[in-house]
Amino acid sequence: MCIRDSSPTYRQTLNDEGPAAAAVRAAYGALFPTLNSSTGISYSRAGRQTFANQVFSQGSNTVASNYNLSASWSLSARELMAPGQQKAQQRVVEENITGAGNTLTADVTTQYLAVLRATASVEVARQQLARNEDFLTLARARQQVGQTNIIDVRTAEVNRGRSQVALLRAQQAETDAKIELIRRLGMPTQLDVDSIRLTETFQLVEPTYQLGTLLAAAGADNPSIRAAEAQHESARIGVRSAKAAYLPSFSISTGLSGFTQQLSLIHI
């Protein structure tokens, strides 16, 4: 299962990809001419009608039709800059998605390690409980042969009780860590937490990175930085676009229309 397909947080960020791409297409579409068309038909019966004390008469039925076809194209500096601005915003969204994916991977890995640590703590608590139970058995045997007193037995019993409490706390911490891992993965909450077993192991290696190399890689590949740069580019284009609103714009339009009318023998 891919964690990016099930994580609600990541998919919320991924949902912004579609509107960003649509905004770019809309900005390019605004550069194309606009076409409009319309048509209609009307029917008028023969007869008389009065309007403003005037009598108008029509001797026969008539059928009329009309059509209109027009095209217009307008161009301004703001419209020319709009695709670049929207593409910059699209890069912001893409970098945010990349950053969300990296954050999700880091969060899941960190929580995975937390579960491993909690599981190891449970094993240590079990070993400590077994050791204290052995100490209690030994203390009782020594007390029976007179080599120690009841105080040592009671101390061993207290230590065993503390180990039992520590084991319960470690088991609860392991359960909580697994539940948090399930939440970050976006998996169903109905899973049996106790049945989850982690099989991935991590090999410990000594890091050989240098500070300068890390800083250079962070500056070139960090999604947050690239998103901020794209946002800066979008804002810069927005300022130029606002100033361009004071410049002249170009527009042209043309159209074709017609009207027909004929007598009709149809009676309605």
Side-chain angles (χ1 to χ4, degrees):
M1 180 189 65
C2 180
I3 60 176
R4 299 192 177 188
D5 295 335
S6 60
S7 173
T9 304
Y10 175 78
R11 294 187 66 83
Q12 286 177 359
T13 307
L14 185 63
N15 189 58
D16 297 334
E17 185 177 20
V24 173
R25 292 194 298 268
Y28 278 110
L31 301 178
F32 290 92
T34 302
L35 298 177
N36 295 302
S37 64
S38 63
T39 184
I41 186 171
S42 62
Y43 173 79
S44 178
R45 294 181 58 184
R48 301 175 62 188
Q49 58 180 329
T50 304
F51 179 75
N53 296 326
Q54 298 291 327
V55 178
F56 299 90
S57 61
Q58 181 173 315
S60 62
N61 302 330
T62 59
V63 177
S65 62
N66 63 84
Y67 62 91
N68 179 68
L69 180 63
S70 63
S72 61
W73 183 44
S74 62
L75 193 62
S76 65
R78 171 172 287 187
E79 292 175 339
L80 289 174
M81 296 178 186
Q85 185 177 15
Q86 293 302 327
K87 290 181 68 175
Q89 287 293 334
Q90 186 181 30
R91 290 197 301 273
V92 173
V93 173
E94 291 173 350
E95 296 301 340
N96 288 337
I97 292 174
T98 302
N102 294 342
T103 300
L104 176 62
T105 302
D107 289 345
V108 171
T109 302
T110 300
Q111 191 59 34
Y112 194 97
L113 293 174
V115 175
L116 291 178
R117 183 170 57 250
T119 302
S121 298
V122 170
E123 184 61 27
V124 171
R126 285 199 180 99
Q127 294 176 2
Q128 186 63 40
L129 176 59
R131 195 161 34 244
N132 287 332
E133 286 178 344
D134 293 340
F135 289 157
L136 176 59
T137 301
L138 178 61
R140 286 173 177 173
R142 295 181 63 187
Q143 193 266 340
Q144 289 177 358
V145 298
Q147 292 184 0
T148 186
N149 52 35
I150 193 63
I151 296 177
D152 293 336
V153 176
R154 295 292 181 262
T155 301
E157 291 176 347
V158 170
N159 290 335
R160 185 190 63 175
R162 290 176 177 174
S163 298
Q164 291 174 338
V165 173
L167 177 59
L168 291 175
R169 289 179 175 175
Q171 290 174 337
Q172 183 61 46
E174 181 186 23
T175 300
D176 294 341
K178 288 181 178 180
I179 292 175
E180 178 62 20
L181 178 61
I182 290 174
R183 186 193 69 81
R184 297 189 183 188
L185 288 173
M187 298 171 60
T189 56
Q190 295 82 6
L191 291 176
D192 184 8
V193 178
D194 296 332
S195 64
I196 297 178
R197 296 292 181 268
L198 305 185
T199 58
E200 185 70 27
T201 58
F202 295 87
Q203 182 180 4
L204 297 179
V205 295
E206 183 179 358
T208 58
Y209 302 108
Q210 296 182 355
L211 179 59
T213 304
L214 292 176
L215 292 177
D221 301 329
N222 190 294
S224 299
I225 295 179
R226 293 203 299 259
E229 292 175 349
Q231 186 66 51
H232 177 266
E233 177 66 15
S234 176
R236 188 174 62 85
I237 296 176
V239 172
R240 294 207 314 265
S241 177
K243 294 179 179 179
Y246 296 97
L247 299 178
S249 61
F250 170 79
S251 64
I252 185 173
S253 62
T254 184
L256 177 65
S257 61
F259 174 82
T260 62
Q261 185 177 26
Q262 65 180 0
L263 299 179
S264 174
L265 300 178
I266 300 176
H267 295 279
I268 299 178

